[in-house]
Amino acid sequence: MAFQILLNFILAFIWMFLQGSYDPAAFFVGYLLGLLIIYTFRRFFKSRFYVHRVTAVLNLLYIFMRELVLSNIAVLKLILKPQLDIKPGIFALPTDLTEDWEITILANLITLTPGTLVVDVSADNKILYVHAMDIDDAEQSIKSIKDSFEVAIMEVSR
Amino acid sequence: MKTNDLILQTVSKIILFVIILFSIHLFFAGHYHPGGGFVGGLMTSGAIVLLLLAFDIKTVGKILPVDYKKLIGIGLLFSVGTGLGALVVDLPFLTHVFGYVNLPILGKTSLHTAVLFDTGVFLLVIGVTMTIIQTIGESE
């Protein structure tokens, strides 16, 4: 991926040299043309066309923002509720992610989800211990976390 | 004996993109400087020929799944279409117009319908060259 971005930049600079103009517009045109050429030859590279990964990162960023807002609203509702009828607890969440930064992002995303909070990561990086505000259905929350966050993170790193 | 083409393949992987970018430069230079659709198209097919030399015909077919015969047709359609476009607005066949347009990032740019005609030439030249080379290469 880094190679494709570097190649795109080099192509943009070569375009500027060919045109003999060194303003941002020439760079922009060169970058677009380079993107087009790299897209045409995308089967040439071992990794995917890098724009896919850029969109995956943007998608992850969007999920991050959305969960941040939703969790704050959920906690606000709970605080304003007159009676306290929650059942807190801790459950174990097995994860398929392997890289350190992937687990870190997953943990941060879970912490920002309404009502869940990562307490600890097991020594072999396979299990996350999550504290839930309302532990009525741990299975359900494990599944929803796996479906949304893990898939989105894998989309970036795969 | 099968030799190892590692160096040729690695170098052509990089050079390929530079050649194609240069061919696009030649294509757009056509109006004010030496260049144009013909030499640009030849150079693009030259880049693909470099790929054919470094890899085999099947690999290139996998990298660029393009039917070059169709490219000839598309190129001809482009060129004839620009010519017919003049007839629609009551001008003689192949009359070209140009104008200046303010694009968001690029600023003031001159756009000319001759570029569309040249695109047709560009695609046609790639199509014909690659069809000739592939047809000769595939026959045993």
Side-chain angles (χ1 to χ4, degrees):
Chain A
M1 176 198 178
F3 173 72
Q4 290 182 36
I5 293 176
L6 185 66
L7 183 65
N8 209 159
F9 265 86
I10 291 172
L11 287 178
F13 277 110
I14 290 175
W15 179 258
M16 279 160 73
F17 295 146
L18 286 173
Q19 294 286 306
S21 64
Y22 303 98
D23 46 354
F27 181 84
F28 181 73
V29 172
Y31 199 87
L32 275 190
L33 288 173
L35 203 64
L36 194 72
I37 297 170
I38 291 174
Y39 177 74
T40 314
F41 287 93
R42 64 195 179 280
R43 296 176 192 81
F44 210 34
F45 300 101
K46 286 193 188 73
S47 56
R48 294 175 301 157
F49 181 50
Y50 77 90
V51 172
H52 287 305
R53 202 173 287 194
V54 173
T55 51
V57 169
L58 288 178
N59 185 31
L60 198 61
L61 207 67
Y62 164 70
I63 291 176
F64 190 84
M65 296 292 182
R66 194 187 59 195
E67 292 305 329
L68 193 66
V69 173
L70 282 181
S71 70
N72 279 310
I73 292 172
V75 171
L76 183 73
K77 269 186 192 160
L78 215 69
I79 293 168
L80 294 179
K81 226 169 165 182
Q83 72 272 39
L84 198 65
D85 56 352
I86 54 170
K87 259 192 279 170
I90 293 178
F91 64 86
L93 170 77
T95 175
D96 299 328
L97 300 174
T98 48
E99 299 288 321
D100 286 355
W101 65 269
E102 290 173 345
I103 294 170
T104 310
I105 288 179
L106 179 65
N108 286 338
L109 279 174
I110 290 170
T111 304
L112 287 169
T113 331
T116 46
L117 176 73
V118 173
V119 184
D120 202 5
V121 182
S122 70
D124 57 354
N125 289 349
K126 290 260 165 40
I127 298 168
L128 297 175
Y129 294 101
V130 181
H131 177 273
M133 207 157 54
D134 215 352
I135 197 152
D136 264 345
D137 44 358
E139 286 297 318
Q140 176 84 36
S141 47
I142 289 179
K143 199 174 165 298
S144 75
I145 289 171
K146 269 189 128 35
D147 281 352
S148 56
F149 298 151
E150 246 189 38
V151 168
I153 293 172
M154 275 178 175
E155 199 64 30
V156 175
S157 62
R158 131 182 100 90
Chain B
M1 196 189 90
K2 186 96 176 82
T3 52
N4 193 351
D5 297 332
L6 178 91
I7 297 171
L8 176 65
Q9 290 181 350
T10 314
V11 172
S12 58
K13 264 181 197 171
I14 308 288
I15 296 296
L16 169 78
F17 294 99
V18 180
I19 298 175
I20 289 185
L21 197 71
F22 184 61
S23 73
I24 294 175
H25 165 71
L26 280 178
F27 171 73
F28 281 117
H31 200 63
Y32 297 111
H33 306 283
F38 184 77
V39 69
L42 265 187
M43 190 151 265
T44 307
S45 36
I48 303 172
V49 170
L50 174 69
L51 262 192
L52 284 171
L53 287 176
F55 299 87
D56 54 289
I57 212 160
K58 270 196 190 121
T59 318
V60 177
K62 219 180 281 167
I63 293 167
L64 273 178
V66 180
D67 188 355
Y68 294 105
K69 291 189 278 312
K70 279 182 191 154
L71 216 55
I72 301 175
I74 294 169
L76 278 175
L77 269 183
F78 256 98
S79 298
V80 176
T82 9
L84 289 178
L87 288 180
V88 175
V89 288
D90 255 357
L91 287 167
F93 184 60
L94 277 178
T95 309
H96 287 291
V97 288
F98 69 97
Y100 292 94
V101 183
N102 265 319
L103 293 177
I105 298 167
L106 307 176
K108 189 179 164 196
T109 319
S110 64
L111 295 179
H112 201 300
T113 52
V115 173
L116 290 175
F117 185 82
D118 237 17
T119 311
V121 176
F122 184 80
L123 294 175
L124 186 101
V125 169
I126 296 175
V128 170
T129 320
M130 291 319 294
T131 310
I132 292 171
I133 288 168
Q134 272 195 336
T135 318
I136 295 171
E138 272 167 349
S139 65
E140 291 295 318

